[in-house]
Every structure is written in structure tokens, then in C-alpha cells.
Amino acid sequence: MEISSELRHLVDRRILPLERLLGDALVSANMVVATEHHLCVSELVVHARGDHRLHGLAKGPNWQAAVGAAVEKVMQQAQTLKGKWHGQIGRAHV
């Protein structure tokens, strides 16, 4: 499947808040897009420091819904992971 510039821009725009949340801890992010039985499928895999892999898979009627849902799943995982990192820093000083 050929990726249009609009779809690439959509993915870049949706991943930007994730990049801000993880900051320097973000090592890489890979988005796989496909169509399956008239549905759009997107899979996002993010590698964060400490060998953490965050994964989101979503299907939707259009690219906006599929990409948005996959990113949202990874955002929730990233917020949990970041909370754990901050908790470890607090306990280290006690």
C-alpha cells in the first residue's frame, strides 16, 4: 500500500503529543497501516528507554479513527510508565 502525504501528516500530528510526553525516553516509534475488510487498521509500536515496548492496535472506519485509537492506547501506557519512573525517583531519595 502506498502511503499518501495526508496519511503521513496525520500520523506525524497524532504522534507529536506522545513525543512530548516521553521526551528523551522515546527511542523509536513505528506505525504500520493496512486495510482489512473495508476497515482501516493501524498498529503503533513505541520503544522507550529501559527496553520498554508500548503497543497499540486499532481498527476503524477511517484513518483518523484507527490512528487516533492506536495512539491513545499507547499514550495511556506511556503515562503509566512515566508515572512508574517518577515513583522510583521519589523512593530513591527516601
Side-chain angles (χ1 to χ4, degrees):
M1 157 176 188
E2 187 173 330
I3 304 298
S4 67
S5 61
E6 292 87 15
L7 180 56
R8 184 175 300 277
H9 180 69
L10 171 70
V11 170
D12 289 342
R13 192 176 75 240
R14 293 293 182 125
I15 290 180
L16 188 60
L18 183 62
E19 291 175 0
R20 284 191 209 129
L21 177 66
L22 291 176
D24 292 338
L26 179 66
V27 176
S28 67
N30 295 311
M31 174 75 72
V32 177
V33 294
T35 56
E36 178 181 291
H37 303 292
H38 305 291
L39 287 176
C40 299
V41 180
S42 66
E43 180 180 21
L44 176 60
V45 178
V46 172
H47 180 213
R49 76 170 180 215
D51 201 30
H52 294 283
R53 296 206 190 276
L54 312 176
H55 180 260
L57 176 66
K59 297 178 183 179
N62 56 43
W63 290 119
Q64 291 83 5
V67 170
V71 171
E72 185 59 35
K73 289 177 181 183
V74 172
M75 281 289 286
Q76 290 174 354
Q77 295 171 37
Q79 289 171 343
T80 301
L81 181 61
K82 192 165 182 179
K84 289 180 180 180
W85 286 338
H86 285 291
Q88 289 174 352
I89 291 171
R91 285 191 301 255
H93 296 288
V94 174

